[in-house]
């Protein structure tokens, strides 16, 4: 049995699909009953990672756990996993833990809890996800417009499908204990270029508006705490050499190159049309 937290998210739902395709038994954990039903052979447990005791019901009988950075008690989550007999924990963290530790202290605390407390562990430090472009879905559908700051700054955004495929391989395979993989796409893409890729995927023009830093800060502040907002703006606007670099880790684990943003846009064109 493999437990997947965040099972209704962009990475989690894809991970559930990969694991089922490999013949694994899966328990899917999310805070609420999913609006889009999970496959019928998946056990679902409603639990909030902010309450480690509530997660325990999902962990009994599990051998491996895919864990998100969520809640304020990572040590409690790891203790519950150990008590339930979970042997392997795979944590989805952020590349920022390595490049900007002051801005990503919350994720760093989760990493420390897992590396200190799990019998076997692997950390997946994801770069920016291609699915962040879903924030453009409504304005592209309604007005054929997209807006973002730093229009021509390129970063190697990673496809959630590739993150999920790596997670599935690590959860099921051996030889990954103690590894911290950085997951990126195959090439840098800019906000302007990503909008153009979506336009190509839907066969319609999309006008791009470059936001000011203050406009972007106000938008991000609606769903991020201030330190994370500033860290995100710093990554997007003044990325370090490491943040710009394409990591070999997706190909190292999967034996194939990661998928470009354009491929993600084609697969998800219906959301923008």
């Amino acid at each position: 049995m493999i437990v997947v937290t965040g099972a209704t998210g962009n990475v989690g739902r894809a991970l559930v699909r990969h694991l089922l395709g490999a013949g694994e038994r899966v328990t899917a954990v999310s805070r609420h009953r999913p609006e889009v039903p999970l496959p019928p052979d998946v056990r679902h447990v409603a639990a909030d990672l902010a309450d480690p005791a509530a997660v325990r019901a999902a962990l009994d009988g599990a051998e491996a756990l895919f864990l998100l950075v969520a809640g304020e008690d990572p040590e409690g989550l790891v203790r519950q996993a150990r008590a339930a007999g979970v042997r392997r924990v795979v944590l989805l963290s952020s590349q920022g833990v390595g490049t900007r530790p002051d801005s990503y202290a919350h994720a760093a605390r989760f990493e420390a809890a897992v590396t200190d407390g799990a019998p076997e562990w692997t950390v997946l430090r994801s770069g920016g996800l291609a699915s962040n472009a879903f924030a453009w879905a409504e304005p592209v559908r309604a007005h054929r417009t997209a807006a973002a700051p730093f229009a021509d700054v390129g970063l190697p955004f990673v496809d959630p499908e590739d993150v999920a495929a790596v997670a599935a391989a690590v959860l099921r395979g051996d030889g990954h204990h103690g590894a911290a993989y950085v997951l990126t796409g195959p090439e840098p893409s800019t906000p302007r270029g990503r909008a153009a890729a979506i336009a190509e995927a839907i066969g319609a023009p999309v006008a791009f508006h470059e936001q000011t830093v203050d406009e972007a800060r106000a938008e991000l502040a609606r769903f991020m705490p201030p330190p994370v907002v500033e860290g995100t703006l710093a990554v997007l606007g003044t990325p370090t050499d490491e943040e710009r670099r394409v990591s070999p880790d997706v190909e190292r684990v999967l034996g194939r190159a990661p998928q470009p943003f354009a491929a993600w846009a084609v697969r998800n064109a219906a959301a923008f049309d």
Side-chain angles (χ1 to χ4, degrees), residues 35-175:
E35 295 181 8
V36 178
L38 292 162
D41 45 353
V42 173
R43 173 184 174 230
H44 178 262
V45 175
D48 192 332
L49 294 184
D51 181 3
V55 179
R56 177 60 186 268
L59 297 172
D60 287 335
E63 180 175 297
L65 167 66
F66 176 75
L67 183 61
L68 297 184
V69 173
E72 299 294 336
D73 188 6
E75 297 84 4
L77 289 167
V78 173
R79 282 196 300 271
Q80 291 291 351
R82 286 183 67 98
V86 172
R87 179 171 60 89
R88 178 175 296 171
V89 177
V90 175
L91 176 70
L92 181 58
S93 184
S94 170
Q95 183 184 21
V97 174
T99 60
R100 300 173 189 268
D102 290 343
S103 297
Y104 289 85
H106 189 226
R109 183 181 165 201
F110 269 76
E111 289 194 13
V114 168
T115 58
D116 289 345
E120 294 183 23
W121 59 266
T122 308
V123 173
L124 307 181
R125 288 181 170 176
S126 175
L129 293 173
S131 52
N132 292 349
F134 279 135
W136 290 342
E138 193 280 329
V140 170
R141 285 196 307 266
H143 308 293
R144 294 294 191 245
T145 61
F150 315 115
D152 299 307
V153 177
L155 289 167
F157 275 48
V158 63
D159 192 321
E161 284 283 342
D162 287 337
V163 176
V166 169
V170 171
L171 284 162
R172 300 184 65 245
D174 294 322

Side-chain angles (χ1 to χ4, degrees), residues 3-8 27-31 43-49 55 58:
V3 174
V4 177
T5 65
T8 58
T27 293
V29 178
S30 63
R31 283 186 296 174
R43 173 184 174 230
H44 178 262
V45 175
D48 192 332
L49 294 184
V55 179

Side-chain angles (χ1 to χ4, degrees), residues 178-222:
Y181 295 126
V182 175
L183 307 183
T184 73
E187 61 195 11
S189 65
T190 67
R192 195 188 308 275
R194 291 192 289 276
I198 290 169
E200 179 71 20
I202 65 176
V206 174
F208 181 80
H209 164 67
E210 183 172 12
Q211 292 176 316
T212 67
V213 174
D214 285 342
E215 287 173 334
R217 180 179 287 112
E219 184 172 315
L220 293 173
R222 292 184 298 164

